[in-house]
Amino acid sequence: MPFITTDDGTEIFYKDWGNPDGQPIIFSHGWPLSGDAWDVEMKLAADNGFRAIAHDRRGHGRSTQTWFGNDMDTYAADLDALVRALDLRDIILVGHSTGGGEVVRFAAKHGIGRVAKIATAGAVPPVMVKSETNPEGTPIEAFDGIRDGVLADRSQFFKELAEPFFGANRPGAKVSQGAKDQFWRLGMQAGFAAVYDCIKQFSETDFTEDLGKIDVPMFIAHGGDDQIVPIAAAAEKTVKLVKDGTLKVYEGAPHGIAGEYQQELDKDLLEFWKS
């Protein structure tokens, strides 16, 4: 299996599909998942002539279960190490949830001159946690509850979290049991320290300055019924902070990408990649 090794010895697993000479698309996954969460979109990209790459963030999936470095700056540096190891240029970045934060931080700190486009879905920027300057955010007590749930019984907590993640708690929801099981399976592959530490990173990291540095086209997708990353504190603010952003709201769609939402989003992503 392909890995790159970072300066601190962490092994980062990645998948590399499609045309090796095609324009690279890097997919960054959400918490607490792995690159496998993007398999459908990776196949879509590869089938259309792109080079599709997805890595497992440190501490997640098949990458090293790190005790240190589970922070957004290191995540972005790890992605930079992967980009440089593969000598990637003219990159399209795609990030979901926490992965949306990772690609934004990478683009602002490391991607100038290498990144061509960015697409995010249900992404955490600018900042999730509620404060005086971010009254639309989620109260810190909610994230403390996530920490408590992970510590008390991570397996059961992930099973319960899958319900609002995919909107399965809404009347008429059509999400499959398989999708919820996959969320649990990928989450349980992650290292415990990384799962716990990343909660602070996706909830409290402020990406406002990063967004201001992004001058490439950015497609910002968000479910109108996202119960995990509320749109008012996220996409609706992000589109105002970037220089060339387009916001599309998928009415009634949840945080997790599945079913009809996935089908519609994938059509839009392909159009954006080819534009």
Side-chain angles (χ1 to χ4, degrees):
M1 293 191 295
F3 291 86
I4 61 105
T5 303
T6 67
D7 290 342
D8 69 354
T10 299
E11 290 189 320
I12 301 296
F13 171 84
Y14 68 96
K15 300 188 290 188
D16 192 347
W17 297 358
N19 180 4
D21 297 318
Q23 184 177 13
I25 303 179
I26 298 177
F27 296 86
S28 182
H29 63 83
W31 176 91
L33 309 175
S34 74
D36 289 356
W38 282 116
D39 278 356
V40 172
E41 289 70 30
M42 285 189 68
K43 185 178 187 303
L44 177 67
D47 286 346
N48 282 275
F50 294 96
R51 181 179 181 183
I53 299 165
H55 65 296
D56 294 350
R57 191 172 299 118
R58 67 166 54 211
H60 296 69
R62 289 141 291 199
S63 294
T64 303
Q65 293 196 6
T66 48
W67 188 260
F68 299 105
N70 302 311
D71 61 83
M72 198 59 65
D73 283 340
T74 306
Y75 296 157
D78 290 345
L79 181 51
D80 184 51
L82 175 63
V83 164
R84 293 184 181 279
L86 300 181
D87 193 24
L88 303 177
R89 301 178 187 279
D90 195 29
I91 304 163
I92 299 173
L93 298 171
V94 182
H96 173 244
S97 195
T98 301
E102 180 183 72
V103 300
V104 164
R105 177 60 54 90
F106 165 79
K109 292 194 67 172
H110 307 283
I112 303 301
R114 286 183 181 261
V115 174
K117 300 175 185 176
I118 303 171
T120 61
V124 298
V127 60
M128 283 190 70
V129 71
K130 184 177 182 178
S131 66
E132 290 184 3
T133 57
N134 187 38
E136 300 84 4
T138 301
I140 189 67
E141 290 79 11
F143 302 113
D144 290 339
I146 295 174
R147 279 182 273 265
D148 291 343
V150 166
L151 286 173
D153 186 344
R154 175 168 57 140
S155 180
Q156 183 60 34
F157 179 76
F158 284 166
K159 286 180 180 293
E160 294 173 0
L161 183 62
E163 298 295 312
F165 186 92
F166 288 111
N169 57 343
R170 298 305 200 206
K174 298 178 181 179
V175 62
S176 70
Q177 185 62 46
K180 293 186 286 185
D181 289 347
Q182 176 73 337
F183 176 88
W184 174 86
R185 186 182 73 85
L186 297 183
M188 292 304 294
Q189 288 178 349
F192 196 83
V195 166
Y196 188 87
D197 291 349
C198 191
I199 298 166
K200 181 179 179 66
Q201 300 308 309
F202 71 65
S203 63
E204 298 182 40
T205 303
D206 191 338
F207 298 95
T208 302
E209 291 187 9
D210 302 295
L211 292 168
K213 295 177 182 178
I214 292 175
D215 58 2
V216 298
M218 186 168 176
F219 176 67
I220 304 157
H222 215 102
D225 190 31
D226 191 325
Q227 301 171 65
I228 307 299
V229 181
I231 190 171
E236 290 179 357
K237 290 189 174 183
T238 290
V239 72
K240 298 175 183 178
L241 293 169
V242 296
K243 296 179 176 63
D244 185 9
T246 300
L247 170 62
K248 179 165 182 181
V249 180
Y250 297 79
E251 295 299 336
H255 186 64
I257 301 170
E260 294 178 359
Y261 171 36
Q262 185 173 36
Q263 295 171 16
E264 186 178 358
L265 174 63
D266 286 356
K267 289 179 182 178
D268 292 335
L269 285 175
L270 184 59
E271 181 179 346
F272 178 69
W273 297 340
K274 290 184 172 182
S275 65

